[in-house]
Amino acid sequence: MSGYTSDQLVAHTTADAQMVPIGQRARITGIQAQGAASSTIVFKTGGAAGTTIATFKFGTEGIDFYVPGSGILFDDGVYLDLTATPGVTITFT
């Protein structure tokens, strides 16, 4: 027995990308992003032209955090738009 209470998946990208396919429901539970001056990451559901769910702005310090509770819900996949960010990794269920 593994001891895990849920199935976590991980995705990484260094460019704008559909990280979880359209049509698939997901909850982001963790985010790590490398920082650069004036970095921004925008998470959308429904593809590149979809609805913005969350926006994070940061500098060279980057971000690394666990999303509390049940995570951030995306009903129609997870699309990530990067600006001045070398790479982003998400964990999701």
Side-chain angles (χ1 to χ4, degrees):
M1 181 167 194
S2 68
Y4 295 108
T5 59
S6 68
D7 295 326
Q8 293 285 318
L9 299 171
V10 178
H12 177 79
T13 187
T14 58
D16 294 357
Q18 186 71 45
M19 297 185 81
V20 177
I22 290 176
Q24 182 176 329
R25 190 171 183 214
R27 289 183 184 271
I28 292 180
T29 56
I31 303 168
Q32 292 179 314
Q34 291 176 280
S38 301
S39 295
T40 303
I41 55 176
V42 179
F43 290 99
K44 298 179 180 183
T45 192
T51 303
T52 297
I53 301 297
T55 300
F56 297 90
K57 295 182 179 187
F58 50 95
T60 57
E61 72 280 3
I63 58 173
D64 181 8
F65 67 93
Y66 166 78
V67 180
S70 297
I72 304 169
L73 177 62
F74 294 79
D75 285 324
D76 193 14
V78 177
Y79 181 85
L80 180 59
D81 182 359
L82 307 177
T83 301
T85 307
V88 176
T89 301
I90 61 169
T91 55
F92 64 98
T93 57

